[in-house]
């Protein structure tokens, strides 16, 4: 049975999704424009037997969710630009120690304190490479309130399945926008829990991966007494100075995402069958792109849209196919050109790539996309 | 043959440990294991967390759920563990730089919340792992590799800091007073709220050498001669206490513990919804 339709904000949908996914621990620090996620988590979590903590800083928030996750609790933190920078240290820790967790970044204008109450898309590359060293990343970008709900659940599922931090990359428009939303019945929602060991504690090797390259994870406090470290470690979990161990670990961490790209990657495309110009965008800008496409179609221009939902890993294969068919790809972004770098790398010289960038901390309007396309065609 | 204590509570296959000859950290780690043994808590319900530095390698040798985290953040990770699973006894091992410089903010807030964590700070007055830089507990005018002309920073009194920030059990001992470390840690573990034990250690390799403190033995003699038990200090004149420091139980004033307070909210909401 579907719930009654509700008028809901993106940040609210994120908390609803997290609770539905099984979140039982949240730690964070107040920051605009993500604060509603903390406020609603504080309200909702004790009602379901979960726990909320407002930490002393963003770094502590990230650390606390890793600690909680090690006990088996599904955990999340939410922040915005400046806080996202602070969380990078322990996002790297969660990557190498393979601790499932979800990090929400509701993007605002940057760099530094920037434009705290205005939208931007400046953390596309930070979401990929923000923490030091080679590491795996999954980052999802919703472009509606309902999709925020769905992708928050997906973020928890990916975190649990692949034992990795997952980033939900929202923007201020999606976070604060209100839409009429009908949430699915809980029975319709797929929930994934991490693999736990099926061997005895004596036989358990905490970092020995199965064929899917993901090791089963034992909850702290259940008799599996093992060691977790941010240092390079072998299958036993203990640090190692072996160059071979380092090579094997870093490659496995990356490959556990790479070999599952088909399951992870998602995107949405419209009117791509006959499109000559493809508008590639994500987050709130994808909404304008859709309107722009409709206007262009009315004017006889064969426009289509491509919206990566997972920006990391980027749906590379599908874009390469489309790049062979279309003449021009236009990439509107609320930054000076970040995801376009990936588009250029993937498409090579198959299609002409045009950038449309805005860093005034306001959304890109459909008319701006239309003008750009009419100018370049 | 390792002792029964070492056999039962250490990962003997990981020994010997990495610390330099003469370092006090091994003595303190053994004293902590002894306190855990005396407390009689199930090994499977204990979690030991550390940050980064010489002291933070201790959990790797101890046979529990152990978590070696990032520099300064041990208490924040530990807070998540305690909050998500309050039945776990969480013990945090930190160094002086780890706990009071990069981790200073986490330290004062863990104290303030009175969350049920036992923090043990191995204080050797120097950053050892990186090769002898001055720390927030290096005495004023002493030398470090980054203070070649003498350190002009004033040192923290870790126990006073913790007590005034709200820790409900605070004590200090030294590597020389190993059995006092054990009894203080045992009391700290049985305190429901946040406890902090400062264990004065010696680093003959860096702090000692830079400051001409002699061998590890003479550094331990300094600990023996400079430490005054708080009960003895009460009968001493201020002049006699000049250049000395206090050891023993410095604060013991239990207050409601943080995760219990949160549980009350969960229980109240449950009741109201029925």
């Amino acid at each position: 049975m579907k719930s009654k339709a509700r008028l809901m904000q993106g940040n609210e949908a994120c908390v609803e999704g997290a609770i539905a996914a099984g979140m039982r621990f949240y730690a964070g620090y107040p920051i605009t424009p993500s604060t509603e996620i903390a406020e609603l988590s504080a309200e909702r979590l004790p009602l379901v037997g979960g726990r909320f903590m407002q930490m002393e800083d963003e770094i502590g928030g990230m650390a606390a969710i890793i600690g909680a996750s090690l006990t088996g609790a599904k955990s999340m933190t939410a922040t915005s630009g400046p806080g996202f920078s602070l969380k990078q240290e322990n996002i790297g820790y969660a990557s190498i120690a393979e601790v499932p967790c979800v990090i929400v970044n509701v993007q605002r204008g940057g760099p530094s304190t920037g434009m705290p109450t205005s939208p931007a898309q400046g953390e596309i590359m930070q979401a990929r490479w923000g923490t030091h060293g080679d590491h795996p990343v999954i980052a999802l970008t919703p472009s509606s309130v309902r999709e925020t709900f769905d992708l928050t659940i997906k973020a928890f599922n990916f975190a649990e399945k692949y034992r990795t931090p997952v980033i939900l990359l929202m923007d201020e428009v999606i976070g604060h926008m209100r839409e009429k939303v009908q949430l699915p019945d809980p029975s319709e929602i797929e929930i994934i829990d991490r693999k736990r060991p099926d061997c005895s504690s004596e036989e358990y090797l905490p970092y020995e991966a199965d064929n899917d390259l993901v090791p089963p994870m034992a909850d702290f406090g259940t008799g599996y007494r093992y060691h977790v470290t941010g240092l390079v470690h072998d299958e036993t979990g203990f640090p190692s100075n072996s160059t071979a161990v380092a090579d094997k670990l870093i490659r496995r961490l990356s490959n556990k995402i790479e070999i599952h790209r088909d399951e992870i990657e998602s995107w949405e495309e419209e009117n791509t069958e006959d499109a000559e110009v493809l508008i590639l965008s994500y987050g709130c800008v994808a909404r304008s792109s859709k309107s722009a496409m409709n206007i262009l179609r009315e004017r006889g221009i064969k426009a289509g849209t491509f919206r990566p939902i997972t920006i990391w890993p980027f749906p590379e294969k599908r874009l390469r196919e489309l790049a062979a068919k279309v003449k021009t790809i236009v990439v509107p972004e609320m930054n000076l050109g970040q995801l376009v770098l990936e588009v250029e790398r993937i498409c090579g010289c198959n299609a002409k790539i045009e950038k449309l960038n805005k860093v005034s901390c306001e959304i890109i309007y459909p008319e701006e996309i239309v003008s750009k396309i009419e100018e370049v065609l | 043959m390792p002792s029964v204590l070492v056999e039962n509570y250490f990962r003997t296959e990981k020994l010997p440990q990495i610390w330099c000859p003469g370092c006090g950290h091994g003595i303190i780690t053994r004293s902590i294991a002894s306190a855990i043994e005396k407390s009689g808590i199930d090994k499977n319900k204990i979690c030991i967390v550390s940050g980064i530095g010489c002291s933070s390698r201790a959990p790797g040798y101890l046979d529990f759920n152990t978590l070696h985290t990032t520099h300064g953040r041990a208490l924040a990770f530990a807070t998540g563990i305690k909050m998500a699973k309050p039945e776990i006894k969480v013990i945090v091992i930190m160094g002086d730089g780890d706990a009071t410089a990069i981790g200073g903010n986490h330290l004062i807030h863990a104290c303030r919340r009175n969350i049920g964590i036992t923090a043990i700070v191995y204080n050797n007055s120097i950053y050892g792992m990186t090769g002898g830089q001055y720390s927030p507990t290096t005495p004023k005018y002493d030398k470090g590799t980054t203070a070649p002309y003498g350190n002009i920073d004033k040192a923290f009194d870790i126990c006073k800091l913790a007590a005034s920030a709200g820790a409900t059990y605070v004590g200090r001992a030294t590597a020389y007073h190993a059995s006092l470390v054990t009894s203080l840690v045992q009391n700290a573990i049985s305190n429901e709220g946040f406890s902090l034990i400062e264990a004065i250690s010696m680093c003959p390799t860096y702090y000692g050498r830079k400051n001409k403190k002699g061998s590890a033995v003479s550094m331990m003699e300094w600990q023996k001669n400079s430490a005054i038990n708080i009960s003895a200090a009460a009968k001493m004149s201020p002049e006699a206490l000049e250049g000395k420091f206090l050891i023993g139980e410095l604060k013991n004033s239990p207050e409601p513990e943080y995760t219990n307070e949160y549980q009350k909210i969960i229980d109240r909401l449950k009741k109201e919804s029925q």
Side-chain angles (χ1 to χ4, degrees):
Chain A
M1 202 187 78
K2 282 195 161 57
S3 69
K4 250 173 57 186
R6 281 165 62 186
L7 187 66
M8 193 183 284
Q9 194 191 50
N11 284 345
E12 192 180 351
C14 174
V15 177
E16 291 294 339
I19 298 279
M23 171 175 77
R24 288 299 175 268
F25 185 77
Y26 179 103
Y29 189 83
I31 184 165
T32 304
S34 75
T35 306
E36 293 86 358
I37 300 176
E39 289 171 340
L40 290 164
S41 295
E43 192 180 316
R44 293 293 306 279
L45 275 169
L47 293 167
V48 295
R51 283 153 188 260
F52 167 89
M53 271 202 90
Q54 184 167 307
M55 291 297 285
E56 53 275 11
D57 57 33
E58 298 275 7
I59 301 169
M62 188 62 218
I65 67 164
I66 296 171
S69 182
L70 282 162
T71 73
K74 290 189 184 179
S75 305
M76 181 173 94
T77 188
T79 188
S80 187
F84 195 52
S85 293
L86 290 168
K87 295 205 189 286
Q88 296 301 330
E89 173 189 69
N90 289 325
I91 291 176
Y93 187 91
S95 287
I96 197 169
E98 300 180 73
V99 184
C101 54
V102 174
I103 303 103
V104 184
N105 176 15
V106 186
Q107 295 170 95
R108 68 189 218 187
S112 190
T113 313
M115 288 268 262
T117 59
S118 302
Q121 295 179 320
E123 281 103 77
I124 302 304
M125 285 298 169
Q126 191 184 20
R128 179 63 195 90
W129 296 114
T131 195
H132 57 278
D134 278 292
H135 56 276
V137 159
I138 298 176
L140 311 168
T141 49
S143 71
S144 72
V145 172
R146 170 58 201 262
E147 194 180 38
T148 302
F149 175 86
D150 295 335
L151 290 189
T152 306
I153 295 170
K154 212 169 188 180
F156 273 96
N157 285 348
F158 284 156
E160 292 285 314
K161 189 167 185 184
Y162 303 115
R163 283 191 65 174
T164 195
V166 176
I167 294 162
L168 184 73
L169 204 55
M170 298 170 65
D171 56 59
E172 189 274 339
V173 172
I174 302 301
H176 281 161
M177 178 175 65
R178 286 174 199 276
E179 287 183 301
K180 184 179 156 186
V181 170
Q182 194 153 30
L183 298 182
D185 185 77
S187 65
E188 295 165 21
I189 299 170
E190 188 199 12
I191 304 290
I192 297 174
D193 292 326
R194 66 191 71 171
K195 282 187 293 187
R196 263 103 179 168
D198 51 14
C199 61
S200 70
S201 58
E202 289 76 27
E203 293 167 311
Y204 180 54
L205 281 173
Y207 288 94
E208 186 182 51
D210 294 334
N211 288 337
D212 63 356
L213 303 186
V214 182
M217 186 172 177
D219 299 349
F220 272 17
T222 58
Y224 291 80
R225 296 190 305 272
Y226 65 102
H227 188 61
V228 178
T229 179
L231 288 166
V232 163
H233 48 272
D234 60 19
E235 285 79 3
T236 64
F238 289 100
S240 168
N241 282 327
S242 154
T243 51
V245 166
D247 186 82
K248 190 180 169 194
L249 173 67
I250 304 308
R251 287 185 192 282
R252 178 176 65 76
L253 292 179
S254 171
N255 286 338
K256 76 176 173 183
I257 303 305
E258 283 300 311
I259 66 167
H260 295 107
R261 279 185 92 116
D262 287 349
E263 287 169 48
I264 298 168
E265 285 175 8
S266 62
W267 66 90
E268 190 183 73
E269 57 182 79
E270 205 173 336
N271 288 332
T272 48
E273 305 79 22
D274 65 343
E276 288 175 0
V277 55
L278 186 69
I279 313 168
L280 188 151
S281 59
Y282 49 90
C284 67
V285 178
R287 304 169 73 95
S288 296
S289 298
K290 199 169 175 160
S291 303
M293 174 186 70
N294 292 335
I295 296 168
L296 288 163
R297 286 261 162 191
E298 279 170 20
R299 295 182 191 172
I301 297 169
K302 287 178 179 167
T305 55
F306 184 80
R307 178 171 73 87
I309 295 170
T310 50
I311 53 160
W312 306 116
F314 191 91
E316 193 166 328
K317 211 167 99 190
R318 182 57 187 151
L319 181 62
R320 197 169 284 127
E321 288 165 3
L322 290 172
K325 286 166 45 180
V326 302
K327 288 186 185 135
T328 308
I329 301 175
V330 176
V331 187
E333 293 183 87
M334 289 159 66
N335 57 47
L336 287 177
Q338 295 194 13
L339 202 61
V340 73
L341 298 171
E342 188 69 356
V343 174
E344 285 168 346
R345 181 187 71 76
I346 292 164
C347 301
C349 50
N350 276 337
K352 191 167 86 169
I353 295 159
E354 294 287 344
K355 300 194 286 184
L356 171 55
N357 306 108
K358 204 165 172 181
V359 284
S360 53
C361 296
E362 54 185 342
I363 195 167
I364 299 176
Y365 297 107
E367 303 75 47
E368 293 175 284
I369 300 171
V370 170
S371 311
K372 178 75 187 180
I373 289 172
E374 287 179 335
E375 178 195 315
V376 299
L377 280 188
Chain B
M1 270 290 284
S3 68
V4 175
L5 175 76
V6 171
E7 194 68 56
N8 287 346
Y9 290 94
F10 282 74
R11 291 164 170 150
T12 49
E13 72 280 10
K14 294 291 159 198
L15 299 172
Q17 24 79 353
I18 61 162
W19 297 313
C20 302
C23 173
H25 288 10
I27 300 170
I28 297 165
T29 305
R30 190 191 187 282
S31 304
I32 294 169
S34 177
I36 293 170
E37 182 188 45
K38 289 187 167 134
S39 72
I41 299 164
D42 177 0
K43 271 171 84 170
N44 293 326
K45 297 292 172 204
I46 292 175
C47 180
I48 309 212
V49 186
S50 68
I52 294 294
C54 295
S55 62
S56 292
R57 290 305 187 96
Y61 306 115
L62 296 165
D63 186 23
F64 304 98
N65 276 128
T66 51
L67 181 63
H68 178 220
T69 70
T70 45
H71 196 28
R73 318 298 174 210
L75 281 169
F77 280 81
T79 295
I81 293 170
K82 186 68 189 174
M83 194 63 176
K85 213 171 205 176
E87 66 267 31
I88 294 182
K89 263 293 167 202
V90 183
I91 298 169
V92 176
I93 293 173
M94 297 173 284
D96 41 287
D98 195 36
T100 67
I102 190 165
N105 200 29
H106 307 303
L107 175 66
I108 57 173
H109 289 277
C111 291
R112 175 178 66 85
R113 291 186 192 107
N114 196 35
I115 187 161
I117 292 171
T118 297
I120 300 147
V121 183
Y122 292 29
N123 180 5
N124 60 6
S125 305
I126 205 89
Y127 285 92
M129 189 66 93
T130 44
Q133 298 75 34
Y134 70 98
S135 87
T137 62
T138 304
K140 196 168 181 180
Y141 305 126
D142 275 4
K143 287 179 179 167
T145 57
T146 45
Y149 311 113
N151 159 40
I152 56 167
D153 290 19
K154 197 174 158 187
F156 260 139
D157 180 325
I158 300 175
C159 290
K160 277 188 182 161
L161 176 68
S164 53
T168 47
Y169 188 89
V170 179
R172 184 189 288 122
T174 77
Y176 176 81
H177 301 87
S179 61
L180 181 61
V181 174
T182 298
S183 63
L184 289 175
V185 171
Q186 204 185 335
N187 293 344
I189 290 172
S190 64
N191 175 39
E192 275 204 76
F194 188 85
S195 308
L196 181 134
I197 305 302
E198 178 185 358
I200 309 270
S201 188
M202 59 283 182
C203 175
T205 305
Y206 292 115
Y207 177 74
R209 192 155 49 93
K210 275 276 161 202
N211 293 288
K212 301 190 170 49
K213 298 289 181 188
S215 65
V217 173
S218 53
M219 291 180 84
M220 282 187 98
E221 276 169 351
W222 174 84
Q223 291 173 3
K224 178 189 170 189
N225 297 329
S226 310
I228 306 289
N229 197 287
I230 186 165
S231 52
K235 295 164 206 141
M236 290 168 68
S237 68
E239 295 76 37
L241 285 169
E242 192 66 37
K244 310 284 185 191
F245 62 87
L246 297 181
I247 55 170
E249 186 178 278
L250 306 179
K251 182 179 177 185
N252 183 2
S253 56
E255 281 178 45
E257 192 272 332
Y258 189 81
T259 60
N260 289 337
E261 293 290 278
Y262 199 91
Q263 188 60 47
K264 283 183 200 162
I265 295 175
I266 295 176
D267 294 343
R268 194 180 75 215
L269 291 170
K270 209 171 183 177
K271 217 168 162 182
E272 283 169 9
S273 71
Q274 280 163 0

mmCIF file of all heavy atoms in Angstrom, chain A residues 117-143:
data_model
loop_
_atom_site.group_PDB
_atom_site.id
_atom_site.type_symbol
_atom_site.label_atom_id
_atom_site.label_comp_id
_atom_site.label_asym_id
_atom_site.label_seq_id
_atom_site.Cartn_x
_atom_site.Cartn_y
_atom_site.Cartn_z
ATOM 1 N N THR A 117 24.016 29.898 1.313
ATOM 2 C CA THR A 117 22.607 29.546 1.126
ATOM 3 C C THR A 117 22.241 29.346 -0.345
ATOM 4 O O THR A 117 21.075 29.221 -0.677
ATOM 5 C CB THR A 117 21.692 30.627 1.735
ATOM 6 O OG1 THR A 117 21.994 31.869 1.094
ATOM 7 C CG2 THR A 117 21.888 30.757 3.226
ATOM 8 N N SER A 118 23.248 29.328 -1.215
ATOM 9 C CA SER A 118 22.959 29.234 -2.651
ATOM 10 C C SER A 118 23.532 27.956 -3.245
ATOM 11 O O SER A 118 24.509 27.419 -2.757
ATOM 12 C CB SER A 118 23.555 30.447 -3.376
ATOM 13 O OG SER A 118 23.012 31.619 -2.824
ATOM 14 N N PRO A 119 22.902 27.501 -4.334
ATOM 15 C CA PRO A 119 23.318 26.218 -4.906
ATOM 16 C C PRO A 119 24.563 26.308 -5.780
ATOM 17 O O PRO A 119 24.872 27.364 -6.327
ATOM 18 C CB PRO A 119 22.116 25.827 -5.769
ATOM 19 C CG PRO A 119 21.541 27.138 -6.201
ATOM 20 C CD PRO A 119 21.760 28.090 -5.062
ATOM 21 N N ALA A 120 25.247 25.185 -5.904
ATOM 22 C CA ALA A 120 26.383 25.054 -6.812
ATOM 23 C C ALA A 120 26.624 23.575 -7.045
ATOM 24 O O ALA A 120 25.974 22.725 -6.423
ATOM 25 C CB ALA A 120 27.623 25.717 -6.214
ATOM 26 N N GLN A 121 27.535 23.285 -7.966
ATOM 27 C CA GLN A 121 27.910 21.890 -8.235
ATOM 28 C C GLN A 121 29.430 21.796 -8.266
ATOM 29 O O GLN A 121 30.007 21.203 -9.164
ATOM 30 C CB GLN A 121 27.307 21.429 -9.569
ATOM 31 C CG GLN A 121 25.775 21.383 -9.551
ATOM 32 C CD GLN A 121 25.168 20.961 -10.875
ATOM 33 O OE1 GLN A 121 25.640 21.369 -11.933
ATOM 34 N NE2 GLN A 121 24.120 20.156 -10.828
ATOM 35 N N GLY A 122 30.041 22.387 -7.273
ATOM 36 C CA GLY A 122 31.497 22.519 -7.286
ATOM 37 C C GLY A 122 32.270 21.333 -6.748
ATOM 38 O O GLY A 122 33.499 21.340 -6.761
ATOM 39 N N GLU A 123 31.576 20.301 -6.242
ATOM 40 C CA GLU A 123 32.303 19.213 -5.586
ATOM 41 C C GLU A 123 32.270 17.903 -6.373
ATOM 42 O O GLU A 123 32.367 16.824 -5.800
ATOM 43 C CB GLU A 123 31.768 19.009 -4.167
ATOM 44 C CG GLU A 123 32.306 20.031 -3.190
ATOM 45 C CD GLU A 123 31.287 21.119 -2.851
ATOM 46 O OE1 GLU A 123 30.376 20.848 -2.069
ATOM 47 O OE2 GLU A 123 31.425 22.241 -3.393
ATOM 48 N N ILE A 124 32.125 18.030 -7.694
ATOM 49 C CA ILE A 124 32.094 16.824 -8.530
ATOM 50 C C ILE A 124 33.438 16.099 -8.445
ATOM 51 O O ILE A 124 33.494 14.884 -8.219
ATOM 52 C CB ILE A 124 31.789 17.211 -10.000
ATOM 53 C CG1 ILE A 124 30.456 17.964 -10.095
ATOM 54 C CG2 ILE A 124 31.812 15.984 -10.906
ATOM 55 C CD1 ILE A 124 29.265 17.241 -9.533
ATOM 56 N N MET A 125 34.511 16.856 -8.610
ATOM 57 C CA MET A 125 35.839 16.239 -8.560
ATOM 58 C C MET A 125 36.269 15.948 -7.120
ATOM 59 O O MET A 125 36.966 14.976 -6.866
ATOM 60 C CB MET A 125 36.877 17.132 -9.255
ATOM 61 C CG MET A 125 36.770 17.087 -10.759
ATOM 62 S SD MET A 125 37.065 15.405 -11.370
ATOM 63 C CE MET A 125 36.568 15.569 -13.073
ATOM 64 N N GLN A 126 35.811 16.781 -6.172
ATOM 65 C CA GLN A 126 36.147 16.501 -4.766
ATOM 66 C C GLN A 126 35.506 15.188 -4.318
ATOM 67 O O GLN A 126 36.093 14.435 -3.546
ATOM 68 C CB GLN A 126 35.703 17.649 -3.861
ATOM 69 C CG GLN A 126 36.270 17.512 -2.443
ATOM 70 C CD GLN A 126 35.787 18.581 -1.492
ATOM 71 O OE1 GLN A 126 34.769 19.227 -1.734
ATOM 72 N NE2 GLN A 126 36.515 18.791 -0.425
ATOM 73 N N ALA A 127 34.285 14.931 -4.828
ATOM 74 C CA ALA A 127 33.629 13.669 -4.474
ATOM 75 C C ALA A 127 34.456 12.492 -4.985
ATOM 76 O O ALA A 127 34.506 11.433 -4.358
ATOM 77 C CB ALA A 127 32.221 13.617 -5.062
ATOM 78 N N ARG A 128 35.138 12.687 -6.120
ATOM 79 C CA ARG A 128 35.938 11.593 -6.675
ATOM 80 C C ARG A 128 37.308 11.498 -6.016
ATOM 81 O O ARG A 128 37.768 10.429 -5.679
ATOM 82 C CB ARG A 128 36.097 11.779 -8.204
ATOM 83 C CG ARG A 128 36.939 10.674 -8.868
ATOM 84 C CD ARG A 128 36.240 9.323 -8.715
ATOM 85 N NE ARG A 128 37.097 8.163 -9.002
ATOM 86 C CZ ARG A 128 37.852 7.520 -8.118
ATOM 87 N NH1 ARG A 128 37.910 7.947 -6.855
ATOM 88 N NH2 ARG A 128 38.554 6.466 -8.445
ATOM 89 N N TRP A 129 37.959 12.671 -5.857
ATOM 90 C CA TRP A 129 39.372 12.649 -5.456
ATOM 91 C C TRP A 129 39.649 13.436 -4.191
ATOM 92 O O TRP A 129 40.787 13.817 -3.946
ATOM 93 C CB TRP A 129 40.245 13.217 -6.590
ATOM 94 C CG TRP A 129 40.193 12.392 -7.836
ATOM 95 C CD1 TRP A 129 39.671 12.767 -9.055
ATOM 96 C CD2 TRP A 129 40.673 11.045 -8.019
ATOM 97 N NE1 TRP A 129 39.795 11.737 -9.957
ATOM 98 C CE2 TRP A 129 40.408 10.676 -9.354
ATOM 99 C CE3 TRP A 129 41.296 10.127 -7.172
ATOM 100 C CZ2 TRP A 129 40.741 9.418 -9.867
ATOM 101 C CZ3 TRP A 129 41.622 8.878 -7.684
ATOM 102 C CH2 TRP A 129 41.349 8.535 -9.018
ATOM 103 N N GLY A 130 38.630 13.702 -3.389
ATOM 104 C CA GLY A 130 38.799 14.580 -2.235
ATOM 105 C C GLY A 130 39.761 14.073 -1.190
ATOM 106 O O GLY A 130 40.517 14.826 -0.590
ATOM 107 N N THR A 131 39.756 12.784 -0.945
ATOM 108 C CA THR A 131 40.674 12.246 0.055
ATOM 109 C C THR A 131 41.922 11.749 -0.673
ATOM 110 O O THR A 131 41.867 11.409 -1.844
ATOM 111 C CB THR A 131 39.999 11.149 0.910
ATOM 112 O OG1 THR A 131 40.795 10.913 2.074
ATOM 113 C CG2 THR A 131 39.809 9.839 0.154
ATOM 114 N N HIS A 132 43.045 11.773 0.037
ATOM 115 C CA HIS A 132 44.308 11.463 -0.631
ATOM 116 C C HIS A 132 44.462 9.976 -0.950
ATOM 117 O O HIS A 132 43.860 9.139 -0.294
ATOM 118 C CB HIS A 132 45.486 11.969 0.202
ATOM 119 C CG HIS A 132 45.507 11.414 1.599
ATOM 120 N ND1 HIS A 132 44.748 11.948 2.623
ATOM 121 C CD2 HIS A 132 46.163 10.364 2.131
ATOM 122 C CE1 HIS A 132 44.956 11.253 3.714
ATOM 123 N NE2 HIS A 132 45.806 10.278 3.453
ATOM 124 N N GLY A 133 45.254 9.707 -1.952
ATOM 125 C CA GLY A 133 45.544 8.323 -2.325
ATOM 126 C C GLY A 133 44.503 7.752 -3.263
ATOM 127 O O GLY A 133 43.386 8.277 -3.386
ATOM 128 N N ASP A 134 44.858 6.675 -3.943
ATOM 129 C CA ASP A 134 43.891 5.998 -4.815
ATOM 130 C C ASP A 134 42.861 5.304 -3.960
ATOM 131 O O ASP A 134 43.204 4.596 -3.019
ATOM 132 C CB ASP A 134 44.618 4.972 -5.689
ATOM 133 C CG ASP A 134 45.245 5.630 -6.897
ATOM 134 O OD1 ASP A 134 44.466 6.094 -7.752
ATOM 135 O OD2 ASP A 134 46.484 5.702 -6.971
ATOM 136 N N HIS A 135 41.613 5.504 -4.304
ATOM 137 C CA HIS A 135 40.553 4.898 -3.498
ATOM 138 C C HIS A 135 39.294 4.744 -4.340
ATOM 139 O O HIS A 135 39.089 5.501 -5.287
ATOM 140 C CB HIS A 135 40.256 5.772 -2.267
ATOM 141 C CG HIS A 135 39.896 7.177 -2.628
ATOM 142 N ND1 HIS A 135 40.833 8.143 -2.866
ATOM 143 C CD2 HIS A 135 38.696 7.762 -2.852
ATOM 144 C CE1 HIS A 135 40.215 9.273 -3.193
ATOM 145 N NE2 HIS A 135 38.928 9.072 -3.198
ATOM 146 N N PRO A 136 38.444 3.789 -3.969
ATOM 147 C CA PRO A 136 37.191 3.619 -4.699
ATOM 148 C C PRO A 136 36.165 4.662 -4.262
ATOM 149 O O PRO A 136 36.228 5.141 -3.125
ATOM 150 C CB PRO A 136 36.725 2.232 -4.269
ATOM 151 C CG PRO A 136 37.274 2.074 -2.892
ATOM 152 C CD PRO A 136 38.573 2.826 -2.862
ATOM 153 N N VAL A 137 35.263 5.005 -5.159
ATOM 154 C CA VAL A 137 34.194 5.939 -4.791
ATOM 155 C C VAL A 137 32.908 5.567 -5.511
ATOM 156 O O VAL A 137 32.926 5.180 -6.674
ATOM 157 C CB VAL A 137 34.578 7.395 -5.172
ATOM 158 C CG1 VAL A 137 33.345 8.276 -5.287
ATOM 159 C CG2 VAL A 137 35.509 8.002 -4.130
ATOM 160 N N ILE A 138 31.814 5.672 -4.776
ATOM 161 C CA ILE A 138 30.503 5.657 -5.418
ATOM 162 C C ILE A 138 29.842 6.975 -5.026
ATOM 163 O O ILE A 138 29.780 7.313 -3.846
ATOM 164 C CB ILE A 138 29.631 4.467 -4.956
ATOM 165 C CG1 ILE A 138 30.309 3.134 -5.325
ATOM 166 C CG2 ILE A 138 28.233 4.547 -5.581
ATOM 167 C CD1 ILE A 138 29.564 1.893 -4.829
ATOM 168 N N ALA A 139 29.401 7.751 -6.031
ATOM 169 C CA ALA A 139 28.704 9.011 -5.752
ATOM 170 C C ALA A 139 27.446 9.094 -6.601
ATOM 171 O O ALA A 139 27.485 8.862 -7.812
ATOM 172 C CB ALA A 139 29.621 10.201 -6.020
ATOM 173 N N LEU A 140 26.333 9.410 -5.940
ATOM 174 C CA LEU A 140 25.025 9.460 -6.588
ATOM 175 C C LEU A 140 24.473 10.882 -6.552
ATOM 176 O O LEU A 140 24.621 11.569 -5.547
ATOM 177 C CB LEU A 140 24.051 8.528 -5.852
ATOM 178 C CG LEU A 140 24.550 7.101 -5.555
ATOM 179 C CD1 LEU A 140 23.614 6.407 -4.576
ATOM 180 C CD2 LEU A 140 24.635 6.310 -6.841
ATOM 181 N N THR A 141 23.807 11.294 -7.650
ATOM 182 C CA THR A 141 23.278 12.669 -7.691
ATOM 183 C C THR A 141 21.778 12.684 -8.010
ATOM 184 O O THR A 141 21.385 12.433 -9.153
ATOM 185 C CB THR A 141 23.953 13.510 -8.810
ATOM 186 O OG1 THR A 141 23.919 12.746 -10.014
ATOM 187 C CG2 THR A 141 25.355 13.870 -8.470
ATOM 188 N N PRO A 142 20.956 12.980 -7.039
ATOM 189 C CA PRO A 142 19.512 13.055 -7.309
ATOM 190 C C PRO A 142 19.119 14.383 -7.969
ATOM 191 O O PRO A 142 19.780 15.397 -7.759
ATOM 192 C CB PRO A 142 18.890 12.963 -5.917
ATOM 193 C CG PRO A 142 19.930 13.514 -4.999
ATOM 194 C CD PRO A 142 21.264 13.225 -5.630
ATOM 195 N N SER A 143 18.031 14.331 -8.750
ATOM 196 C CA SER A 143 17.555 15.598 -9.330
ATOM 197 C C SER A 143 16.085 15.864 -9.017
ATOM 198 O O SER A 143 15.467 16.725 -9.615
ATOM 199 C CB SER A 143 17.831 15.640 -10.830
ATOM 200 O OG SER A 143 16.997 14.749 -11.500
#
